[in-house]
Amino acid sequence: MRHSAIQLMVGLGNPGPKYTGTRHNAGFWFIEALARREGIDLRSERKFHGVAGRWRAADVDTHLLCPMTYMNHSGRSVAALTQFHRIDPAAILVVHDEIDLPTGVVRLKQGGGHGGHNGLRDIASALGTRDFARLRLGVGHPGHSDQVISYVLHAPGREERAGIDRAIDAAVDVASELARGEWDRAQQQLHTRD
């Protein structure tokens, strides 16, 4: 099955040194890893309220974005870039931490609800649709819903972080397939690695 080529990959997280190593910043870690591997220059872009770059992979021009608006206001940054570059929501991939997946598991998903994730909620609200793709990076669950906020705003242990990093590496491995809209190929590689 062919999907839209991805014109924008958004990594979710919170800006500042206080949050750098926290689970909630897994989306930032993906964008940073992709930029390192591909030699992409990420720069602060005030008009997009974030750090952004451009990646040309297999004749597809893909924008990379890490909103610097804090998680709960990610939609402001995403909407600014998509409006400026006239990017359809179907051509957006949002990369985020996912507590409903075990640490180190990575899954692709098309559309759907926000599952309590405030970054996804704000992006859907800003775009007026939930019909964008998601790359879900498993960070595990603390065990009780009352502990979720504290959990995602703390750093994972060394073994957990290694698992998340392996998932990110696997996702970066299929980033060019995702950019081209080769969803099934990317999904097969990701979902058979567990």
Side-chain angles (χ1 to χ4, degrees), residues 2-9 34 38 40 53-64 87 90-93 174-183:
R2 190 149 181 95
H3 281 248
S4 297
I6 298 298
Q7 295 175 272
L8 171 60
M9 292 185 182
L34 177 59
E38 298 293 330
I40 301 160
R54 288 181 90 154
W55 175 41
R56 190 141 183 89
D59 298 325
V60 178
D61 198 17
T62 303
H63 296 269
L64 305 181
I87 296 172
I92 299 171
L93 177 71
V174 299
S176 57
E177 281 88 350
L178 292 171
R180 291 192 298 265
E182 295 172 359
W183 192 268

Side-chain angles (χ1 to χ4, degrees), residues 65-155:
L65 177 67
C66 291
M68 292 289 125
T69 52
Y70 290 97
M71 185 68 77
N72 294 1
H73 303 288
S74 301
R76 181 175 167 214
S77 176
V78 174
L81 192 146
T82 55
Q83 287 166 12
F84 185 85
H85 290 291
R86 297 189 178 120
I87 296 172
D88 189 86
I92 299 171
L93 177 71
V94 177
V95 186
H96 65 92
D97 60 304
E98 178 58 72
I99 61 169
D100 291 330
L101 290 175
T103 300
V105 171
V106 58
R107 291 287 180 263
L108 286 163
K109 182 180 177 185
Q110 181 63 48
H114 55 72
H117 194 291
N118 289 331
L120 294 177
R121 178 187 282 125
D122 197 63
I123 291 169
S125 175
L127 297 178
T129 182
R130 298 181 302 188
D131 293 335
F132 49 87
R134 299 101 190 275
L135 180 69
R136 305 159 67 215
L137 298 168
V139 297
H141 197 285
H144 197 278
S145 58
D146 291 349
Q147 300 168 331
V148 167
I149 293 171
S150 174
Y151 180 78
V152 297
L153 293 178
H154 278 86

Side-chain angles (χ1 to χ4, degrees), residues 26 29-38 95 104-106 135 137 161-178 186 189-190 193:
W29 301 344
F30 168 82
I31 295 293
E32 291 160 359
L34 177 59
R36 269 193 310 275
R37 189 181 294 185
E38 298 293 330
V95 186
V105 171
V106 58
L135 180 69
L137 298 168
R161 178 62 195 255
I164 295 166
D165 287 342
R166 283 192 297 274
I168 287 169
D169 287 343
V172 169
D173 287 344
V174 299
S176 57
E177 281 88 350
L178 292 171
Q189 286 184 62
L190 287 177
R193 63 175 277 279

